[in-house]
Amino acid sequence: MVSFDASESLTPFREGSGYGAILFDRKHLRQAEPDWFDPGKWGERARPVDSGGRGGAWFVDAPSSQCVLRKYRRGGLAARFSRDRYLWHGSDRTRSFAEFRLTRALLSRGLPVPRPVAASYVREGMFYRAAILIERLVGVRSLGDLLRAEDAPPPWEATGRLIARFHRAGLDHADLNAHNILFDAEGKGWLIDFDRSALRIPATHWRERNLSRLKRSLMKLRGARSEEQVRYDFALLRRAYDAAWSRGY
């Protein structure tokens, strides 16, 4: 777990029968309000994100900057019981606070990630709901979108080097898929969405797990491309990754 930072500010609030708190960086915000995490508050300034995810993200024009508002949603079998409630284990272990602090830690290490703006939770009894605001990266496309583009081939080697850089820093990405890898028109890359991710001592087993998850994502998004073509493209990515890793990049 990433420890508390002196530049963090914590604002408690009440919401109906529950209570919550907002965590934000006071160097970049004077204050953050609870209704910032409600897409209805933004009206027409909230536009659904339609690439990847579980339908719980919006582009919003926040007072600080253009942002992505993301509500934490469950997937798989757990979603049948509750789409957005999680068992309470303390504020520091909420999904939103943990991702906010991890993203700040990655940013402080000079890694290409979007700046976290604010994170919140609302607790009711044994359960809580959570949301996070992240600065929007403008003019970027995901690797998943680039797979369908006809103007240029996906940047496989750059993707491999990008992942190696994060792995060398110790990031175990819990959901490394083609939607969470972004590139701009100049070829600069970013990683996003660090929910349930963690900083660890670099080790083979979790690095391989990350790469295997990405390969499955590419297979799922292959469209009319053959599995053989996907394996060929992934081999380009993997060679670049291994070369960067061996150089200590």
Side-chain angles (χ1 to χ4, degrees), residues 8-14 19-24 30-34 37 97 119-121:
E8 290 180 357
S9 186
L10 190 68
T11 300
F13 65 91
R14 299 286 302 187
Y19 67 90
I22 302 171
L23 185 66
F24 62 94
R30 290 184 178 180
Q31 187 56 270
E33 303 297 335
F37 301 92
F97 279 22
S120 77
Y121 70 82

Side-chain angles (χ1 to χ4, degrees), residues 18-124:
Y19 67 90
I22 302 171
L23 185 66
F24 62 94
D25 182 351
R26 62 183 180 183
K27 289 183 179 179
H28 299 279
L29 281 180
R30 290 184 178 180
Q31 187 56 270
E33 303 297 335
D35 62 359
W36 287 12
F37 301 92
D38 176 9
K41 183 265 184 192
W42 303 104
E44 294 182 353
R45 291 185 296 165
R47 303 169 297 282
V49 176
D50 58 5
S51 180
R54 301 188 178 112
W58 297 263
F59 295 126
V60 299
D61 297 326
S64 60
S65 57
Q66 294 186 57
C67 293
V68 177
L69 166 62
R70 192 173 81 248
K71 289 181 174 289
Y72 290 80
R73 298 278 179 86
R74 289 184 178 277
L77 292 175
R80 296 183 180 182
F81 302 97
S82 176
R83 291 197 67 194
D84 62 356
R85 294 200 309 163
Y86 299 88
L87 190 62
W88 178 258
H89 291 292
S91 60
D92 287 343
R93 296 180 63 183
T94 58
R95 304 280 280 263
S96 54
F97 279 22
E99 183 174 0
F100 179 88
R101 286 171 171 153
L102 174 59
T103 308
R104 276 168 52 85
L106 296 171
L107 194 64
S108 71
R109 297 182 184 201
L111 292 165
V113 300
R115 182 179 299 280
V117 175
S120 77
Y121 70 82
V122 176
R123 179 187 178 185
E124 294 181 286

